[in-house]
Amino acid sequence: TETGDASGTEEEAKKTAAAAQAVNRLPEVRLVVLGWRWPGKSLTGNTIIGREEFRLERAAEFCVKRQTEVQGRQVIVVDTPGWFSAQDTPPSYKQELVRGASLSTPGPHAFLLVIPVGMFTEVDRARIEEHVSLFGEGVWMHTIVVFTWAEVLRTISIERYIRREGKELQWVLEKCKRRYFVINNCIFGEHPQVGRLMERVEKMVAEEGGYYNPEEVEKEKKKSLDENQNTAGVGRDLGARPKQNSGLGLSKAMEVDPLSSE
Protein backbone atom coordinates (compact mmCIF):
# COMPACT_ATOMS: atom_id res chain seq x y z
CA THR A 1 0.00 0.00 0.00
CA GLU A 2 2.87 2.37 0.72
CA THR A 3 4.07 1.96 -2.86
CA GLY A 4 0.55 2.57 -4.11
CA ASP A 5 0.29 5.74 -2.03
CA ALA A 6 3.66 6.98 -3.29
CA SER A 7 2.79 6.42 -6.93
CA GLY A 8 -0.62 7.99 -6.34
CA THR A 9 0.99 11.09 -4.84
CA GLU A 10 3.41 11.28 -7.76
CA GLU A 11 0.51 11.00 -10.20
CA GLU A 12 -1.34 13.80 -8.40
CA ALA A 13 1.77 16.01 -8.54
CA LYS A 14 2.03 15.40 -12.30
CA LYS A 15 -1.64 16.28 -12.79
CA THR A 16 -1.24 19.47 -10.73
CA ALA A 17 1.83 20.49 -12.76
CA ALA A 18 -0.01 19.79 -16.04
CA ALA A 19 -3.02 21.80 -14.84
CA ALA A 20 -0.79 24.73 -13.85
CA GLN A 21 0.87 24.60 -17.27
CA ALA A 22 -2.52 24.51 -19.02
CA VAL A 23 -3.64 27.61 -17.10
CA ASN A 24 -0.53 29.47 -18.29
CA ARG A 25 -0.88 28.24 -21.87
CA LEU A 26 -1.30 31.17 -24.25
CA PRO A 27 -3.19 30.69 -27.54
CA GLU A 28 -0.75 33.18 -29.11
CA VAL A 29 2.85 34.04 -28.18
CA ARG A 30 4.39 37.24 -29.58
CA LEU A 31 8.17 37.55 -29.56
CA VAL A 32 10.65 40.27 -30.55
CA VAL A 33 14.27 39.19 -31.09
CA LEU A 34 17.02 41.67 -30.15
CA GLY A 35 20.81 41.46 -30.37
CA TRP A 36 24.01 42.03 -32.27
CA ARG A 37 24.17 42.11 -36.04
CA TRP A 38 25.55 38.65 -36.49
CA PRO A 39 24.21 35.14 -37.28
CA GLY A 40 23.11 34.10 -33.76
CA LYS A 41 20.15 36.49 -33.61
CA SER A 42 18.50 35.63 -36.92
CA LEU A 43 19.35 31.96 -36.47
CA THR A 44 17.45 31.97 -33.19
CA GLY A 45 14.41 33.34 -35.02
CA ASN A 46 14.78 30.57 -37.61
CA THR A 47 15.08 27.90 -34.88
CA ILE A 48 11.81 29.06 -33.30
CA ILE A 49 10.00 29.22 -36.65
CA GLY A 50 11.48 25.86 -37.64
CA ARG A 51 12.68 26.95 -41.08
CA GLU A 52 14.89 29.61 -42.67
CA GLU A 53 12.73 32.72 -42.73
CA PHE A 54 15.12 35.34 -41.38
CA ARG A 55 18.10 36.03 -43.63
CA LEU A 56 20.97 38.18 -42.44
CA GLU A 57 21.05 40.56 -45.40
CA ARG A 58 17.30 41.21 -45.22
CA ALA A 59 17.13 41.60 -41.45
CA ALA A 60 20.07 44.01 -41.34
CA GLU A 61 18.04 47.21 -41.74
CA PHE A 62 14.37 46.29 -41.39
CA CYS A 63 12.14 44.33 -39.05
CA VAL A 64 10.89 41.02 -40.44
CA LYS A 65 7.77 39.34 -39.04
CA ARG A 66 6.94 35.66 -39.41
CA GLN A 67 4.67 33.20 -37.66
CA THR A 68 4.35 29.50 -36.99
CA GLU A 69 2.62 27.07 -34.66
CA VAL A 70 4.35 25.48 -31.67
CA GLN A 71 2.48 22.82 -29.69
CA GLY A 72 -0.93 24.33 -30.42
CA ARG A 73 0.10 27.98 -29.98
CA GLN A 74 0.31 30.60 -32.70
CA VAL A 75 3.81 32.05 -32.40
CA ILE A 76 4.70 35.41 -33.96
CA VAL A 77 8.40 36.26 -34.23
CA VAL A 78 9.74 39.71 -35.17
CA ASP A 79 13.43 39.88 -36.04
CA THR A 80 14.89 43.39 -35.63
CA PRO A 81 17.95 45.21 -37.03
CA GLY A 82 21.03 44.13 -35.12
CA TRP A 83 23.51 46.54 -33.61
CA PHE A 84 27.26 46.63 -34.10
CA SER A 85 29.86 45.93 -31.43
CA ALA A 86 32.32 48.67 -32.34
CA GLN A 87 30.37 51.33 -34.25
CA ASP A 88 27.36 53.52 -33.57
CA THR A 89 23.92 52.37 -34.64
CA PRO A 90 22.34 54.78 -37.18
CA PRO A 91 19.22 56.58 -35.85
CA SER A 92 17.13 55.02 -38.64
CA TYR A 93 18.09 51.53 -37.39
CA LYS A 94 17.11 52.50 -33.85
CA GLN A 95 13.71 53.77 -35.02
CA GLU A 96 13.16 50.52 -36.93
CA LEU A 97 14.26 48.54 -33.86
CA VAL A 98 11.60 50.26 -31.74
CA ARG A 99 9.00 49.65 -34.49
CA GLY A 100 9.52 45.92 -33.92
CA ALA A 101 7.40 46.09 -30.76
CA SER A 102 4.42 47.58 -32.61
CA LEU A 103 4.52 44.82 -35.26
CA SER A 104 3.27 42.29 -32.72
CA THR A 105 -0.03 44.00 -31.84
CA PRO A 106 -1.17 44.62 -29.13
CA GLY A 107 2.37 44.09 -27.82
CA PRO A 108 5.07 41.41 -27.43
CA HIS A 109 4.88 38.86 -24.64
CA ALA A 110 8.67 38.64 -24.58
CA PHE A 111 11.82 40.27 -25.87
CA LEU A 112 14.47 37.64 -26.54
CA LEU A 113 17.85 39.27 -25.97
CA VAL A 114 20.26 37.03 -27.88
CA ILE A 115 23.78 36.89 -26.41
CA PRO A 116 26.46 34.70 -28.01
CA VAL A 117 28.55 32.73 -25.55
CA GLY A 118 32.08 34.17 -25.50
CA MET A 119 33.92 37.13 -24.06
CA PHE A 120 31.43 39.62 -22.60
CA THR A 121 32.85 43.10 -22.08
CA GLU A 122 31.83 46.48 -20.64
CA VAL A 123 31.27 47.65 -24.26
CA ASP A 124 28.85 44.74 -24.82
CA ARG A 125 26.94 45.65 -21.66
CA ALA A 126 26.80 49.33 -22.67
CA ARG A 127 25.51 48.38 -26.15
CA ILE A 128 22.74 46.28 -24.63
CA GLU A 129 21.77 49.07 -22.23
CA GLU A 130 21.77 51.62 -25.05
CA HIS A 131 19.49 49.62 -27.34
CA VAL A 132 17.17 47.90 -24.87
CA SER A 133 16.55 51.23 -23.09
CA LEU A 134 14.94 52.53 -26.30
CA PHE A 135 11.87 50.51 -25.25
CA GLY A 136 11.71 52.08 -21.77
CA GLU A 137 12.75 50.74 -18.37
CA GLY A 138 9.68 48.47 -18.17
CA VAL A 139 11.00 46.34 -21.05
CA TRP A 140 13.25 44.39 -18.66
CA MET A 141 10.15 42.85 -17.01
CA HIS A 142 9.44 41.18 -20.36
CA THR A 143 13.00 40.20 -21.37
CA ILE A 144 14.63 36.77 -21.45
CA VAL A 145 18.33 36.39 -22.28
CA VAL A 146 18.85 33.67 -24.89
CA PHE A 147 22.39 32.29 -25.01
CA THR A 148 23.52 30.98 -28.40
CA TRP A 149 26.64 29.02 -29.40
CA ALA A 150 26.75 27.42 -25.92
CA GLU A 151 28.09 24.29 -27.68
CA VAL A 152 31.55 25.92 -27.59
CA LEU A 153 31.56 25.57 -23.79
CA ARG A 154 31.65 21.78 -24.11
CA THR A 155 32.31 20.65 -20.52
CA ILE A 156 31.55 23.99 -18.83
CA SER A 157 27.99 24.57 -17.61
CA ILE A 158 26.17 27.77 -18.55
CA GLU A 159 25.98 28.67 -14.84
CA ARG A 160 29.76 28.47 -14.55
CA TYR A 161 30.16 30.54 -17.72
CA ILE A 162 27.87 33.24 -16.29
CA ARG A 163 29.89 33.35 -13.05
CA ARG A 164 33.16 33.44 -14.97
CA GLU A 165 32.15 36.37 -17.18
CA GLY A 166 31.75 38.60 -14.14
CA LYS A 167 29.79 41.74 -13.29
CA GLU A 168 29.01 42.98 -16.83
CA LEU A 169 26.97 39.90 -17.77
CA GLN A 170 25.59 39.68 -14.22
CA TRP A 171 24.23 43.23 -14.63
CA VAL A 172 22.24 42.22 -17.73
CA LEU A 173 20.85 39.10 -16.06
CA GLU A 174 19.88 40.97 -12.88
CA LYS A 175 17.95 43.50 -15.00
CA CYS A 176 15.73 40.71 -16.36
CA LYS A 177 15.44 38.84 -13.02
CA ARG A 178 17.97 36.23 -14.11
CA ARG A 179 15.65 34.84 -16.76
CA TYR A 180 17.74 33.06 -19.37
CA PHE A 181 17.50 30.17 -21.81
CA VAL A 182 20.12 28.25 -23.77
CA ILE A 183 19.20 27.49 -27.39
CA ASN A 184 20.98 25.22 -29.84
CA ASN A 185 20.61 26.71 -33.32
CA CYS A 186 22.16 23.63 -34.94
CA ILE A 187 18.94 21.72 -34.25
CA PHE A 188 16.24 22.61 -36.76
CA GLY A 189 12.61 21.64 -37.15
CA GLU A 190 10.48 19.93 -34.49
CA HIS A 191 12.44 19.96 -31.23
CA PRO A 192 11.43 20.09 -27.54
CA GLN A 193 13.71 23.10 -26.88
CA VAL A 194 11.32 25.46 -28.70
CA GLY A 195 8.36 24.20 -26.64
CA ARG A 196 10.41 24.69 -23.46
CA LEU A 197 11.22 28.26 -24.51
CA MET A 198 7.49 28.93 -25.03
CA GLU A 199 6.79 27.59 -21.53
CA ARG A 200 9.46 29.88 -20.14
CA VAL A 201 7.80 32.84 -21.88
CA GLU A 202 4.37 31.82 -20.53
CA LYS A 203 5.79 31.55 -17.00
CA MET A 204 7.21 35.07 -17.29
CA VAL A 205 3.87 36.43 -18.61
CA ALA A 206 2.09 34.82 -15.62
CA GLU A 207 4.61 36.31 -13.17
CA GLU A 208 4.61 39.80 -14.68
CA GLY A 209 0.90 39.92 -15.41
CA GLY A 210 0.75 40.37 -19.15
CA TYR A 211 2.64 41.63 -22.16
CA TYR A 212 4.71 44.72 -23.02
CA ASN A 213 2.46 47.58 -24.15
CA PRO A 214 4.18 49.98 -26.62
CA GLU A 215 1.36 52.55 -26.21
CA GLU A 216 2.03 52.90 -22.48
CA VAL A 217 5.72 53.51 -23.22
CA GLU A 218 4.83 56.13 -25.85
CA LYS A 219 2.68 57.93 -23.27
CA GLU A 220 5.60 57.91 -20.81
CA LYS A 221 7.97 59.23 -23.49
CA LYS A 222 5.52 62.00 -24.45
CA LYS A 223 5.12 62.95 -20.79
CA SER A 224 8.91 63.05 -20.36
CA LEU A 225 9.32 65.17 -23.50
CA ASP A 226 6.62 67.61 -22.37
CA GLU A 227 8.27 67.97 -18.96
CA ASN A 228 11.62 68.49 -20.63
CA GLN A 229 10.23 71.15 -22.97
CA ASN A 230 8.64 72.97 -20.02
CA THR A 231 12.00 72.97 -18.24
CA ALA A 232 13.70 74.18 -21.43
CA GLY A 233 11.15 77.01 -21.65
CA VAL A 234 12.08 78.18 -18.16
CA GLY A 235 15.73 78.10 -19.20
CA ARG A 236 15.04 80.35 -22.18
CA ASP A 237 13.23 82.86 -19.96
CA LEU A 238 16.40 83.06 -17.90
CA GLY A 239 18.43 83.74 -21.02
CA ALA A 240 19.97 80.24 -21.18
CA ARG A 241 20.24 78.39 -24.48
CA PRO A 242 19.81 74.62 -23.95
CA LYS A 243 21.16 72.27 -26.60
CA GLN A 244 18.62 71.05 -29.12
CA ASN A 245 18.14 67.27 -29.06
CA SER A 246 16.14 64.99 -31.30
CA GLY A 247 13.04 63.38 -29.83
CA LEU A 248 14.70 59.96 -29.93
CA GLY A 249 17.78 61.28 -28.18
CA LEU A 250 15.68 62.96 -25.51
CA SER A 251 13.56 59.90 -24.81
CA LYS A 252 16.69 57.77 -24.68
CA ALA A 253 18.35 60.14 -22.25
CA MET A 254 15.28 60.19 -20.04
CA GLU A 255 15.29 56.39 -19.89
CA VAL A 256 19.00 55.82 -19.43
CA ASP A 257 19.47 58.36 -16.63
CA PRO A 258 17.73 56.29 -13.93
CA LEU A 259 20.00 53.32 -14.69
CA SER A 260 23.17 55.30 -14.04
CA SER A 261 22.08 56.01 -10.47
CA GLU A 262 21.70 52.30 -9.63
Side-chain angles (χ1 to χ4, degrees), residues 17-71:
Q21 198 175 313
V23 168
N24 291 339
R25 175 67 66 98
L26 297 167
E28 181 181 83
V29 176
R30 301 181 296 274
L31 308 170
V32 173
V33 186
L34 307 173
W36 278 268
R37 188 176 176 179
W38 92 305
K41 181 173 67 65
S42 296
L43 274 175
T44 297
N46 288 337
T47 300
I48 295 167
I49 292 293
R51 55 189 182 273
E52 190 183 349
E53 288 284 356
F54 303 112
R55 297 187 183 89
L56 276 176
E57 66 278 5
R58 195 172 60 194
E61 295 177 47
F62 302 104
C63 292
V64 179
K65 175 182 172 180
R66 293 289 181 267
Q67 69 182 69
T68 189
E69 190 175 305
V70 178
Q71 296 174 352

Side-chain angles (χ1 to χ4, degrees), residues 68-95:
T68 189
E69 190 175 305
V70 178
Q71 296 174 352
R73 312 167 183 86
Q74 279 301 307
V75 178
I76 293 164
V77 182
V78 177
D79 192 21
T80 59
W83 55 79
F84 299 92
S85 292
Q87 65 192 79
D88 291 340
T89 307
S92 60
Y93 280 35
K94 286 186 175 179
Q95 285 167 356

Side-chain angles (χ1 to χ4, degrees), residues 10-25 199:
E10 194 177 316
E11 198 61 38
E12 283 300 314
K14 280 182 182 175
K15 281 181 183 174
T16 306
Q21 198 175 313
V23 168
N24 291 339
R25 175 67 66 98
E199 286 165 18

